[in-house]
Amino acid sequence: MANVDPVSIGHDFPPAFRVLHVDTDEDFLRLTRETLERKDDIEDVIGVTNADDAVEWLFERDVDIDCLVSEYELRDCSGLELLETVRESRPYFPFIVFTGTGSEDVASRAISSGATNYLQKGTSGARFVTLASQITQAVSHRHVEKQVHRGFRAIDTAREGIALLTDDFRFNYVNDAYADLFEYDAETLIGRNWATTLTDDAVATLSSEVVSTVDAAGEWSGEITGERKDGRTLALTLTISAAPDDEYVCAVRDVTERKEREKALVRENERLDEFASRVSHDLRGPLSIVYGYLDLARKTGESEHFDEIERAADRIEAIISDLLEIAREGQKTLKLETVVLDEFAADVWDGIESESATVDTGPADGRLLADRDRLTELFANLFRNAVEHGGDDVTVTVGSTCDGFYVADDGHGIPEDHRKQVLQSGYSTEEAGTGLGLSIVQQIADSHDWGLSIDESDAGGALFSFTGVERPDVS
């Protein structure tokens, strides 16, 4: 980790320290207090003569102690035993062994036991200058460590994915949010190359453009494509910044849902534009007929002109009905329920106006999952289309397949080169048709994620096949 300047960590750096001093010599305790309290950094020195009192001050009293200074040889225990007690609950607390028992062995034991530092008392006044310096340094370092750990705890709990990268773009650290985003364990990513969580195109972009920008300007922000452990991709916003020691900090946020919403909004706007254009185009023709025959009716008074006006008005009503259905189709939310195919198709057929056309639902055995209102509209449009184009005596057949259902008729059929066009909004081969009914069928199939194809039926008419239809769980 890069060296950190304590001043840059935060404004709450302790302005003055409180020191707890443990020594059996009360005169030395007073001398130490009087000397250290002259220092600007040391506000208060509390002196005690035994380990029990030190533990009480440190753990039981409501007083903040910043550093503990202890003699090695105490009456009730050794300074190292006191150190062990402190380390059980405060492993990083500043603890300085300040003793007159000077030996390399004592110093070694003190440091290996976890002492922050070891100093001999000596006899000169310089001993207190050194002690004050060591206290300041120990407390300062501890404060920096606490701030750094606090920062890492904040990073660990952040909702944003954060990673630290080495100069060769290997993971030095990742928080849980980053690892979870790509469905890895945090430990698994450490040491791996950053490319592990990115698509090849994203890696190429970062290598050719982003890294040079970060090295020159210190930071880059933009959108890239990430890759999860199982290969699925996700849209990300990325901010990558230069850090000390030629390392990098990157923060990512999953914006896949937002991007999908944006795409959906674009599609919806396009659909509304198409709707508005279709309204204007399709209504203009019959309205001109209405106005034309109204003018003739005013001039001649002949009643047959009103028959033409009525037919044009009926066409306007049909166009408005279909256009409203298209508008509603884009706003509906699927409500899937079990549908018994043969019974359902027969019920929809009962609402179709036809004197001699018939429906055969015998092959339509089984059940499917669908939105009942939308499926009603789908069958109604297919039935009306069959009657309008196949004649009054047409026979319509509804049947089941291994992964869906079909609607067929024995009418004139649809030429192969027209089969894609008939599903487009506004396409019609009949002068009186709205050209919207089969477009609605396509939209309803799409909303269910069904496949739709048009072929020739066995009887030479039209065959509409729907695939990918979900069946209810019968277990």
Side-chain angles (χ1 to χ4, degrees):
M1 181 178 294
N3 293 328
V4 183
D5 179 4
V7 176
S8 67
I9 292 295
H11 64 277
D12 59 341
F13 187 77
F17 313 142
R18 180 176 286 115
V19 178
L20 178 62
H21 185 197
V22 190
D23 198 292
T24 56
D25 188 339
E26 295 187 9
D27 290 336
F28 189 73
L29 286 174
R30 283 192 295 272
L31 177 61
T32 303
R33 183 180 69 249
E34 292 171 358
T35 304
L36 294 182
E37 287 181 353
R38 296 178 189 147
K39 305 295 182 181
D40 292 337
D41 292 337
I42 300 175
E43 176 183 24
D44 188 18
V45 178
I46 301 168
V48 296
T49 59
N50 59 74
D52 288 341
D53 288 346
V55 170
E56 179 186 343
W57 274 95
L58 195 59
F59 297 111
E60 298 176 15
R61 299 201 182 194
D62 188 20
V63 177
D64 291 329
I65 305 296
D66 298 298
C67 180
L68 193 152
V69 178
S70 176
E71 168 63 78
Y72 174 73
E73 293 183 345
L74 301 173
R75 291 194 182 97
D76 47 356
C77 67
S78 72
L80 297 189
E81 289 174 318
L82 174 60
L83 172 61
E84 183 178 347
T85 299
V86 172
R87 286 289 175 258
E88 287 178 358
S89 57
R90 298 190 182 183
Y92 304 107
F93 184 78
F95 191 113
I96 298 174
V97 177
F98 186 45
T99 180
T101 306
S103 71
E104 292 183 4
D105 178 61
V106 172
S108 176
R109 289 169 59 195
I111 298 301
S112 62
S113 296
T116 308
N117 213 329
Y118 168 88
L119 294 174
Q120 292 188 23
K121 291 180 178 177
T123 56
S124 69
R127 57 186 170 172
F128 293 115
V129 174
T130 304
L131 178 60
S133 175
Q134 291 294 336
I135 292 172
T136 300
Q137 185 179 49
V139 174
S140 299
H141 284 178
R142 177 58 188 146
H143 182 74
V144 169
E145 288 175 354
K146 289 169 66 176
Q147 294 291 77
V148 170
H149 284 301
R150 185 186 304 168
F152 272 103
R153 283 196 299 272
I155 292 173
D156 283 337
T157 58
R159 297 177 62 184
E160 190 173 41
I162 299 174
L164 303 183
L165 307 171
T166 62
D167 57 354
D168 59 349
F169 292 95
R170 295 187 178 277
F171 290 110
N172 196 21
Y173 164 85
V174 296
N175 69 349
D176 288 338
Y178 190 100
D180 291 345
L181 198 58
F182 300 98
E183 299 179 345
Y184 286 93
D185 292 329
E187 295 79 6
T188 303
L189 287 175
I190 303 302
R192 290 195 181 188
N193 193 282
W194 193 19
T196 302
T197 57
L198 302 172
T199 62
D200 292 341
D201 289 343
V203 172
T205 300
L206 291 168
S207 300
S208 62
E209 302 174 18
V210 176
V211 175
S212 58
T213 301
V214 174
D215 290 342
E219 184 177 281
W220 180 91
S221 294
E223 294 185 355
I224 61 168
T225 305
E227 184 173 280
R228 292 189 171 98
K229 187 177 181 179
D230 62 4
R232 290 179 298 130
T233 59
L234 63 165
L236 302 170
T237 57
L238 164 70
T239 298
I240 178 169
S241 307
D245 298 332
D246 297 323
E247 293 186 337
Y248 300 91
V249 179
C250 75
V252 294
R253 186 182 296 273
D254 184 2
V255 293
T256 304
E257 291 186 4
R258 191 198 76 192
K259 300 294 287 186
E260 289 299 325
R261 288 196 298 271
E262 290 175 354
K263 291 179 182 178
L265 183 60
V266 170
R267 291 193 297 268
E268 180 68 8
N269 287 336
E270 291 174 349
R271 191 184 65 80
L272 290 174
D273 287 344
E274 179 185 358
F275 175 75
S277 175
R278 180 57 52 196
V279 170
S280 174
H281 178 271
D282 288 351
L283 293 182
R284 187 175 290 114
L287 280 174
S288 65
I289 292 174
V290 169
Y291 290 132
Y293 279 104
L294 277 175
D295 186 54
L296 286 175
R298 288 192 185 98
K299 291 178 180 178
T300 65
E302 296 178 2
S303 60
E304 65 266 19
H305 297 317
F306 293 102
D307 294 335
E308 296 295 337
I309 292 173
E310 183 178 9
R311 279 192 288 272
D314 289 343
R315 175 165 167 73
I316 290 174
E317 182 180 9
I319 291 172
I320 291 174
S321 177
D322 282 348
L323 287 172
L324 287 176
E325 179 59 34
I326 289 177
R328 288 193 293 266
E329 188 61 36
Q331 301 170 356
K332 292 179 179 176
T333 301
L334 282 180
K335 183 181 179 181
L336 298 180
E337 54 185 297
T338 299
V339 173
V340 180
L341 187 57
D342 57 347
E343 297 176 0
F344 184 84
D347 288 343
V348 177
W349 179 263
D350 289 341
I352 302 300
E353 295 182 5
S354 176
E355 295 182 358
S356 56
T358 57
V359 65
D360 178 11
T361 61
D365 59 336
R367 302 165 182 264
L368 56 88
L369 286 176
D371 183 292
R372 186 173 290 271
D373 291 340
R374 286 181 170 185
L375 192 62
T376 299
E377 193 66 31
L378 181 145
F379 275 112
N381 275 286
L382 289 177
F383 291 162
R384 284 195 294 265
N385 184 75
V387 172
E388 290 172 3
H389 295 86
D392 291 337
D393 59 349
V394 70
T395 296
V396 180
T397 303
V398 179
S400 300
T401 62
C402 61
D403 66 341
F405 64 92
Y406 65 86
V407 177
D409 63 59
D410 60 358
H412 304 299
I414 301 173
E416 186 173 356
D417 57 349
H418 288 186
R419 290 172 187 169
K420 289 185 178 179
Q421 292 172 285
V422 297
L423 297 175
Q424 297 173 2
S425 178
Y427 181 85
S428 177
T429 59
E430 299 291 333
E431 183 177 349
T434 67
L436 298 172
L438 294 183
S439 173
I440 294 172
V441 170
Q442 178 71 73
Q443 289 189 34
I444 295 171
D446 290 343
S447 70
H448 285 81
D449 292 327
W450 295 342
L452 169 57
S453 61
I454 303 177
D455 297 288
E456 183 178 324
S457 69
D458 292 340
L463 171 65
F464 294 84
S465 299
F466 299 86
T467 56
V469 179
E470 189 176 355
R471 305 288 185 184
D473 186 1
V474 295
S475 57

